[in-house]
Amino acid sequence: MNVTVLLFASYADALGRPEIELALPAGATVRDAVRHIGALPGADRVPPTPLVAVNQRYASLEQPLAQGDELALIPPVAGG
Amino acid sequence: MNVTVLLFASYADALGRPEIELALPAGATVRDAVRHIGALPGADRVPPTPLVAVNQRYASLEQPLAQGDELALIPPVAGG
Amino acid sequence: MRAAIVETPLDGANLLREVSAPANGAAILFIGTVRDVNDGRAVTGIDYSAYSAMARRELESIVQEASSRFDTTHVVVEHRLGTLDIGEASVAIAVAHSRRAAAFDAARFVIEEIKRRVPIWKREHYSDGAREWVDPTRATGRGVVETSPADAGDEPTNSDDREPRAARTPGA
Amino acid sequence: MRAAIVETPLDGANLLREVSAPANGAAILFIGTVRDVNDGRAVTGIDYSAYSAMARRELESIVQEASSRFDTTHVVVEHRLGTLDIGEASVAIAVAHSRRAAAFDAARFVIEEIKRRVPIWKREHYSDGAREWVDPTRATGRGVVETSPADAGDEPTNSDDREPRAARTPGA
């Protein structure tokens, strides 16, 4: 299945892009996707267990992913 | 000595005027002035121990008065 | 830092501009307005009156206390007197601070102290034509509680955190 | 009740007008502005960016939570994105209520929740030309505390009062 990973702020800077398409086996979880991202060049500046959102809602690393999901890695927020 | 007593809001309505001049013996306290006011027609609608200010500062009933002092009887405040 | 008693409409946006400064990350504007219902009665307007000289002095002292307690000189307050319609602002308080918690706390302090000790009174106009002085020390609603004069002590304090004691109404 | 992410200057007075209603006795406007100094460094401006769709959703959910928790529909918030100068407003929150305590508490709730969970980021511009993403989870000042990755648990909650866990930076 295909999942879109969105990167923002310092994480987008670290990986040099705002978005990555991942092909994952059926049954993969958020944690599996995050491990894939962690193997990319520049990922040493992204924590191994970042805050994440799936389809615009905060999610657990154990959440199973589905075809077409939008997974976002959320750097420490600084709004206000 | 002469003291000016200021009345406001419901107290001014009760006594029918905003200001009363009192002539008091030397050594009189706020409490003595308040007793004089309490004997006037309409004073039954003023509490026997109202909140008071002398020369624009909250004061105790035991405070001695001086010639020319401005004594105010302060109804329950309702600003804001 | 400024406190004023005015007889013209209040402009909150102006007060906010007055407290703004590059070092401030947070600004609060509090506006008190005339409500159309109080204590279950339909209100059509309010007359605000004051012991003006003392009210100005107390407002200034509140602003100074807020400034030293919350460590900011960016505090202004204006209280309006006269006859106000529903929705009109009777009081406006603006505070700016480098930290938001202090800005909130300072604005809250100023309005609570105004209600506690500034000699201002209001007479509500009701839809039936009646007009009455508002006494916040009386219980509201049907069950008006009258306390006996014997409950009232004799010693209003005049320390820094003096609290105007409720003037008790004699048992009616 | 309204929440918006905008890219144009905020107008707090407009938000106050939007929440005003005859039954309200108190209105609060909170404005967050860009400070000229942060953590001891001279700041010249800030770029605000967001995961816009999720930020809008979280802002809306915060406004709804404030509304039900504090019992008023008169809550609006706008957060600005883009490059802001010193003194410009990044966020404006207006709340009106019949009771002032609830108005203060609701406005405070909204800004605290925004800071806790709305996916918005800021990159400060410093007077020496440097630009850095602000990480509120890092200790400030000279003694930056780095926590080990082993401190970071694996289970961000997604309950209603989830709290985005600090994303730990690997020991540098």
Side-chain angles (χ1 to χ4, degrees):
Chain A
M1 65 186 176
N2 297 305
V3 167
T4 302
V5 181
L6 301 182
L7 302 165
F8 298 96
S10 60
Y11 297 176
D13 285 358
L15 287 149
R17 46 192 162 161
E19 193 172 324
I20 295 171
E21 294 295 325
L22 283 186
L24 296 167
T29 63
V30 168
R31 185 187 300 278
D32 297 322
V34 168
R35 278 207 195 96
H36 273 82
I37 300 294
L40 298 175
D44 55 307
R45 287 186 284 146
V46 174
T49 57
L51 195 65
V52 296
V54 174
N55 299 330
Q56 304 170 13
R57 294 179 193 278
Y58 285 109
S60 149
L61 288 172
E62 310 318 323
Q63 182 165 325
L65 291 167
Q67 165 67 29
D69 273 355
E70 180 178 285
L71 169 64
L73 307 197
I74 311 279
V77 302
Chain B
M1 64 184 174
N2 296 305
V3 167
T4 302
V5 181
L6 301 182
L7 303 165
F8 298 95
S10 60
Y11 297 175
D13 285 358
L15 287 148
R17 45 190 160 163
E19 193 173 323
I20 294 170
E21 294 295 325
L22 283 187
L24 296 168
T29 63
V30 168
R31 185 187 301 278
D32 297 322
V34 167
R35 279 208 194 95
H36 273 82
I37 299 296
L40 298 175
D44 55 311
R45 288 186 284 145
V46 174
T49 57
L51 195 65
V52 297
V54 174
N55 299 331
Q56 304 170 14
R57 294 178 192 277
Y58 285 109
S60 149
L61 288 172
E62 310 317 323
Q63 182 166 323
L65 290 166
Q67 165 67 28
D69 273 355
E70 179 178 283
L71 169 65
L73 308 196
I74 311 279
V77 302
Chain C
M1 214 160 61
R2 188 173 64 82
I5 304 279
V6 303
E7 307 207 350
T8 48
L10 302 179
D11 183 339
N14 263 343
L15 296 197
L16 269 184
R17 271 188 288 276
E18 187 173 340
V19 296
S20 79
N24 293 326
I28 298 274
L29 175 65
F30 173 86
I31 306 274
T33 52
V34 177
R35 282 192 290 164
D36 63 356
V37 172
N38 190 22
D39 199 13
R41 296 178 76 175
V43 174
T44 59
I46 294 185
D47 300 323
Y48 278 90
S49 61
Y51 181 8
S52 294
M54 182 175 168
R56 189 172 310 111
R57 183 197 284 270
E58 287 290 329
L59 270 188
E60 279 165 2
S61 130
I62 289 167
V63 162
Q64 273 160 11
E65 285 168 40
S67 171
S68 70
R69 194 183 280 229
F70 299 101
D71 194 26
T72 175
T73 59
H74 304 117
V75 183
V76 298
V77 56
E78 291 188 351
H79 200 299
R80 185 174 168 193
L81 301 182
T83 299
L84 275 67
D85 291 331
I86 302 304
E88 284 199 284
S90 52
V91 63
I93 300 162
V95 178
H97 203 287
S98 55
R99 293 173 295 111
R100 67 185 179 282
F104 272 100
D105 291 348
R108 186 78 194 271
F109 172 83
V110 171
I111 184 62
E112 298 303 330
E113 289 299 296
I114 286 173
K115 294 197 172 259
R116 198 171 72 81
R117 68 191 233 212
V118 178
I120 291 178
W121 301 278
K122 59 186 178 189
R123 190 168 53 169
E124 290 181 335
H125 306 188
Y126 304 103
S127 54
D128 62 4
R131 297 185 174 199
E132 279 179 27
W133 293 104
V134 173
D135 179 352
T137 67
R138 288 171 65 125
T140 59
R142 289 165 216 151
V144 171
V145 174
E146 300 280 2
T147 58
S148 131
D151 293 343
D154 281 350
E155 300 280 335
T157 64
N158 57 1
S159 71
D160 275 344
D161 52 5
R162 63 188 173 276
E163 173 144 10
R165 195 134 31 90
R168 266 67 163 209
T169 52
Chain D
M1 216 159 61
R2 189 173 64 81
I5 303 281
V6 303
E7 306 207 349
T8 49
L10 302 179
D11 182 339
N14 264 343
L15 296 198
L16 269 184
R17 270 188 289 277
E18 188 173 339
V19 296
S20 79
N24 293 327
I28 297 274
L29 175 64
F30 173 86
I31 305 273
T33 52
V34 176
R35 282 192 290 164
D36 62 358
V37 172
N38 190 23
D39 197 13
R41 295 178 77 175
V43 174
T44 58
I46 294 185
D47 300 323
Y48 278 91
S49 61
Y51 181 8
S52 294
M54 182 174 168
R56 190 173 308 114
R57 183 198 284 272
E58 287 290 327
L59 271 188
E60 280 165 3
S61 133
I62 289 167
V63 162
Q64 274 160 11
E65 285 168 40
S67 171
S68 70
R69 193 183 280 228
F70 299 101
D71 195 25
T72 175
T73 59
H74 304 117
V75 183
V76 298
V77 55
E78 291 188 349
H79 200 298
R80 184 174 168 193
L81 301 181
T83 299
L84 276 68
D85 291 332
I86 302 304
E88 284 199 284
S90 53
V91 63
I93 299 162
V95 178
H97 204 287
S98 55
R99 293 174 294 111
R100 68 186 179 281
F104 272 100
D105 291 347
R108 186 77 195 270
F109 172 83
V110 171
I111 185 62
E112 298 303 330
E113 289 298 297
I114 287 172
K115 293 196 173 261
R116 198 171 71 81
R117 66 192 235 211
V118 179
I120 291 178
W121 301 279
K122 59 185 178 190
R123 189 169 53 171
E124 290 180 334
H125 306 188
Y126 304 104
S127 54
D128 62 5
R131 298 184 173 200
E132 281 178 24
W133 293 104
V134 173
D135 180 352
T137 67
R138 289 171 64 126
T140 58
R142 288 166 218 151
V144 171
V145 174
E146 300 281 358
T147 58
S148 130
D151 293 344
D154 282 350
E155 301 280 334
T157 64
N158 57 0
S159 71
D160 276 344
D161 52 8
R162 64 188 173 277
E163 173 145 11
R165 195 135 32 86
R168 266 65 163 209
T169 51

